[in-house]
Amino acid sequence: MAAKRKSSSRKYGKAAGKSVKRAMHKRKSGTLKSGKGRHPKVKSREQAIAIGLSDARESGAKVPRKRSSKKGGARKSGTKRSSSKKSSRRK
C-alpha cells in the first residue's frame, strides 16, 4: 500500500519569501533596524526573518498566523498562583 501524501500547498507565498530575502540582505549589509527611531541594528538571523515576515503580513502576502502562546503552560516557578488569588478574593 502506498503511503498517504500531504497536499503540496505552500505555507508562505512568494511575496513573503521576497520580503524575508530583502530583510536578510539588509541585515548582512548592516542597515536593518529593529524599529523606527533610535533602535539598534539587527544582528540575529531569527530577528531578521521575523521582521521580513512582519513586513509581508502588512503588505498582505500569504503568511500563516503568528503562533499563540499556550494557556496554562509550564511556569518557571513551581508555586501555584491560583490558590493565593482565591484566598485574597474571599476576604
Side-chain angles (χ1 to χ4, degrees):
M1 293 185 164
K4 284 187 176 182
R5 285 188 175 187
K6 286 187 178 180
S7 61
S8 61
S9 61
R10 287 177 58 98
K11 291 181 181 177
Y12 295 88
K14 289 182 181 179
K18 283 183 182 179
S19 65
V20 171
K21 189 174 182 179
R22 190 179 314 116
M24 294 295 281
H25 183 74
K26 282 185 177 181
R27 180 189 68 99
K28 283 190 175 186
S29 63
T31 58
L32 184 64
K33 294 196 175 186
S34 61
K36 293 178 179 157
R38 297 177 55 187
H39 292 282
K41 293 177 183 174
V42 173
K43 292 184 179 177
S44 73
R45 183 177 148 266
E46 288 83 10
Q47 193 174 3
I49 293 169
I51 290 169
L53 289 175
S54 177
D55 291 343
R57 270 190 196 95
E58 287 176 9
S59 65
K62 182 186 173 189
V63 183
R65 289 185 211 156
K66 290 181 181 178
R67 292 183 197 164
S68 62
S69 61
K70 292 182 180 179
K71 292 181 182 177
R75 292 191 190 109
K76 288 184 181 179
S77 62
T79 59
K80 287 188 177 181
R81 204 172 68 199
S82 59
S83 62
S84 62
K85 278 189 176 181
K86 286 180 184 176
S87 62
S88 65
R89 286 184 185 171
R90 289 180 186 170
K91 291 180 183 179

